């Protein structure tokens, strides 16, 4: 917590690292408040990038483009402020444990499903390896193998998470504080992909009108337990 606070004090604005690579942190999140179309990232020149309304590009909307750095800083500052306010939040802890109990109650069945999927993927991998050894290799097999290896890693990670849930009776305030702290550290890092992951985790949408910017942040059990399909919104 202290490390996060010191970093936040030292960063009053986004540094040059944000300009080194074109990663649009709010990709898919910004919506036009006039025509309901999505805002998309666009690079205007070497130094200037924006998010602009798709409807404007189609000639059906006159809503303004907005500077990339300006809107991203606005959203990140708002998100950091909100996350910082959630340390030791008792209501959040209660909601998280309600969700966590649901997860624990389903771990036995979930584990069976994932282990069956893993067995199936391993069988497919073994079949491709056998075909290669028997001399039936073709270039398409490499693509199939890469896809299967990635799927195998995802399933193994899922199994590990399920086992962790089954071994832990409840989520504590310390657990939640650690999650919030790690997310705040990511927002203060120079890694744009880490920043984007945290932003996409919590920000539901950003609505742009000629007069306002409305940032909707999801902050409840869905962000803590991994079910990112809804929740209470705070504008």
């Amino acid at each position: 917590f202290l490390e996060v606070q010191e970093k936040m004090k030292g960063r009053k604005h986004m540094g040059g690292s944000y300009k080194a690579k074109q990663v649009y942190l709010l990709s898919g999140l910004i919506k036009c408040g006039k025509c309901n179309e999505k805002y998309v990232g666009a690079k205007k020149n070497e130094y200037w990038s924006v998010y602009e309304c798709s409807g404007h590009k189609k000639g059906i909307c006159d809503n303004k483009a907005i500077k990339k750095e300006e809107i991203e800083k606005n959203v990140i500052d708002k998100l950091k402020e909100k996350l910082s306010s959630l340390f030791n939040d008792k209501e959040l802890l209660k909601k998280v444990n309600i969700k966590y109990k649901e997860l624990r109650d389903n771990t036995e069945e979930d584990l069976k499903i994932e282990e069956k999927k893993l067995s199936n993927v391993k069988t497919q991998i073994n079949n491709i390896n056998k075909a290669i050894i028997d001399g039936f290799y073709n270039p398409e097999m490499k693509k199939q193998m890469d896809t299967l290896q990635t799927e195998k890693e995802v399933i193994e990670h899922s199994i590990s998470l399920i086992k962790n849930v089954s071994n832990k009776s409840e989520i504590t305030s310390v657990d939640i504080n650690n999650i919030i702290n790690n997310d705040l550290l990511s927002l203060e890092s120079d890694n744009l992909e880490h920043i984007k992951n945290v932003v996409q985790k919590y920000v539901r949408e950003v609505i742009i009108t000629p007069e306002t910017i409305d940032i909707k942040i999801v902050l409840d059990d869905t962000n803590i337990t991994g079910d990112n399909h809804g929740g209470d919104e705070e504008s």
Side-chain angles (χ1 to χ4, degrees):
F1 176 78
L2 293 174
E3 183 182 352
V4 171
Q5 297 308 306
E6 286 303 312
K7 284 195 172 189
M8 289 175 70
K9 287 178 187 175
R11 294 196 178 190
K12 300 301 181 184
H13 58 82
M14 291 184 174
S17 60
Y18 287 85
K19 300 177 182 177
K21 179 183 175 184
Q22 285 301 310
V23 176
Y24 291 89
L25 306 180
L26 304 177
S27 176
L29 297 178
I30 307 182
K31 187 171 72 173
C32 178
K34 289 192 71 176
C35 70
N36 232 23
E37 292 275 350
K38 289 284 187 182
Y39 265 62
V40 295
K43 189 171 182 179
K44 294 302 183 181
N45 56 48
E46 186 178 353
Y47 305 102
W48 187 39
S49 297
V50 299
Y51 290 93
E52 56 187 1
C53 176
S54 299
H56 182 77
K57 294 177 72 174
K58 296 174 185 176
I60 61 174
C61 182
D62 62 355
N63 209 356
K64 61 185 178 182
I66 189 164
K67 288 182 180 178
K68 176 181 182 292
E69 186 177 86
E70 177 184 320
I71 185 63
E72 289 179 351
K73 180 181 184 305
N74 193 332
V75 170
I76 289 173
D77 285 348
K78 182 70 176 176
L79 182 52
K80 287 192 291 190
E81 177 187 338
K82 186 60 185 177
L83 285 174
S84 296
S85 74
L86 288 177
F87 284 104
N88 301 312
D89 187 297
K90 292 181 180 179
E91 186 61 29
L92 179 59
L93 179 62
K94 180 180 176 182
K95 292 169 72 177
V96 166
N97 274 299
I98 290 172
K99 183 69 176 181
Y100 192 71
K101 185 179 183 303
E102 293 176 11
L103 290 176
R104 289 195 79 244
D105 290 345
N106 294 323
T107 52
E108 187 175 343
E109 185 62 29
D110 290 343
L111 191 58
K112 287 180 182 177
I113 292 171
E114 292 302 307
E115 287 178 338
K116 184 175 180 181
K117 286 160 62 176
L118 182 61
S119 176
N120 182 47
V121 168
K122 284 181 175 179
T123 299
Q124 293 180 66
I125 291 173
N126 290 336
N127 288 342
I128 292 176
N129 282 330
K130 185 176 184 304
I132 292 171
I133 292 171
D134 291 343
F136 296 105
Y137 174 79
N138 67 69
E140 185 65 24
M141 285 181 173
K142 183 182 185 308
K143 184 178 178 182
Q144 291 175 345
M145 183 66 86
D146 289 343
T147 300
L148 287 168
Q149 289 289 359
T150 300
E151 187 176 350
K152 177 174 172 285
E153 290 173 9
V154 170
I155 295 171
E156 288 174 339
H157 180 64
S158 179
I159 288 173
S160 175
L161 290 176
I162 292 169
K163 288 180 177 179
N164 286 341
V165 169
S166 65
N167 292 331
K168 188 176 178 66
S169 60
E170 66 176 4
I171 299 293
T172 67
S173 182
V174 172
D175 294 325
I176 295 178
N177 287 349
N178 284 337
I179 291 169
I180 294 169
N181 206 54
N182 287 334
D183 287 340
L184 282 169
L185 282 171
S186 292
L187 291 176
E188 292 294 330
S189 76
D190 292 328
N191 189 311
L192 293 172
E193 290 300 335
H194 288 178
I195 296 170
K196 183 175 181 177
N197 287 340
V198 176
V199 169
Q200 297 279 332
K201 175 181 177 181
Y202 290 105
V203 179
R204 170 70 58 76
E205 64 181 1
V206 180
I207 301 175
I208 306 290
T209 72
E211 298 82 22
T212 62
I213 297 174
D214 186 17
I215 304 168
K216 296 186 180 297
I217 297 174
V218 182
L219 284 166
D220 63 7
D221 57 285
T222 61
N223 305 93
I224 305 301
T225 58
D227 178 8
N228 199 19
H229 296 293
D232 298 331
E233 292 180 356
E234 169 134 350
S235 299

